[in-house]
Amino acid sequence: RRGICTDANVAAIKIFGFNDLAKLHRIRATDISPILQSDGQSTTIKAQVMLETALANGVHRFEWLHKRADGTIFPAELTLSAVTLSGEPMLYAVVRDISDRKQAEEALLTQQALLLDIVDNAPSLIYVYDTEGRLRLCNRLFEQTAGFKFQEMEGSTREKHLPVGEASTLRNNDKKVLSKGGIFRFEDQILKHGKLRTYLTTKCVLRGTEGKA
């Protein structure tokens, strides 16, 4: 409970880059971690909080930055479980290197940021409505055309910004695309600076990873 290692398996010795248990034995958890964690908190202070949380709750899972014997830092998923050995409270730690997962997450975030940048700077209006007819995404040109920031329009229906007749027509067009799939083109009435203008629009269904529209 003081954060001192009393035992470890071969995998732990390997992941931290030590030659044998003697090097890892009696070492503190803070000795195999950088000075600061990814959120900027002091490792020493945060480690104590994590230990106390695990002892109080019985188990505690969290992400942690660890340090190998050669000084390289790697992200890990850490699960601390409280156990009692010979009447003394101890903590059983399971450490999993999540470097590959973190790299994949960063690559995905980079890709998403790039795609959003492309969409935001496209010379055409781009917008996404969900199956309930609520606005979920739009680019900068759509904001300029509508005269509102996305934050002001997010979650709103077309009725908020269009006359009832035009809003109903666009909803029916959406239903046609949703029911038949594929790509369709329409001449839609859209407000530009408060006046209705006719736009040639291309619509298709966007589906998530589970195939849901």
Side-chain angles (χ1 to χ4, degrees):
R1 65 181 305 158
R2 291 176 295 164
I4 299 174
C5 178
T6 59
D7 200 2
N9 66 357
V10 174
I13 296 168
K14 182 179 179 181
I15 199 173
F16 289 111
F18 291 96
N19 296 321
D20 52 52
L21 179 59
K23 294 290 179 74
L24 190 57
H25 187 59
R26 307 302 296 175
I27 203 169
R28 290 182 176 275
T30 51
D31 295 331
I32 48 175
S33 306
I35 296 174
L36 299 176
Q37 287 300 304
S38 57
D39 57 4
Q41 290 190 55
S42 162
T43 288
T44 302
I45 296 173
K46 190 170 183 177
Q48 190 59 41
V49 173
M50 298 298 103
L51 292 173
E52 291 173 358
T53 301
L55 287 167
N57 298 335
V59 64
H60 185 39
R61 181 178 296 164
F62 53 95
E63 290 187 4
W64 190 259
L65 288 182
H66 266 306
K67 184 174 65 175
R68 306 186 205 278
D70 63 4
T72 57
I73 297 170
F74 68 97
E77 182 182 81
L78 196 59
T79 303
L80 295 179
S81 301
V83 296
T84 301
L85 297 176
S86 301
E88 184 181 353
M90 307 280 281
L91 285 165
Y92 177 77
V94 177
V95 181
R96 187 163 66 92
D97 187 339
I98 57 173
S99 298
D100 290 343
R101 190 184 83 189
K102 284 296 183 183
Q103 288 173 1
E105 288 174 354
E106 288 177 10
L108 180 61
L109 287 173
T110 299
Q111 184 184 50
Q112 289 176 336
L114 177 62
L115 289 173
L116 285 173
D117 193 48
I118 292 172
V119 167
D120 214 25
N121 290 285
S124 301
L125 305 183
I126 297 177
Y127 53 90
V128 176
Y129 279 88
D130 64 17
T131 55
E132 301 298 321
R134 295 170 300 214
L135 184 66
R136 293 305 179 195
L137 176 71
C138 71
N139 67 348
R140 189 177 296 131
L141 188 57
F142 186 88
E143 288 182 325
Q144 294 170 353
T145 301
F148 297 94
K149 290 292 183 182
F150 172 65
Q151 290 78 5
E152 299 174 86
M153 300 184 288
E154 184 179 10
S156 64
T157 62
R158 290 188 174 94
E159 282 80 1
K160 185 175 180 180
H161 307 290
L162 283 174
V164 175
E166 281 71 19
S168 178
T169 298
L170 266 62
R171 273 182 175 274
N172 290 333
N173 290 345
D174 291 349
K175 289 177 181 178
K176 178 181 178 181
V177 177
L178 285 167
S179 64
K180 295 188 176 182
I183 298 173
F184 292 85
R185 288 183 173 84
F186 303 94
E187 289 186 358
D188 287 340
Q189 295 289 311
I190 299 175
L191 281 176
K192 180 177 182 181
H193 307 312
K195 295 182 180 179
L196 282 174
R197 299 290 297 271
T198 302
Y199 285 80
L200 178 64
T201 63
T202 301
K203 296 181 180 181
C204 64
V205 180
L206 296 179
R207 299 188 184 278
T209 54
E210 297 178 354
K212 248 183 120 178

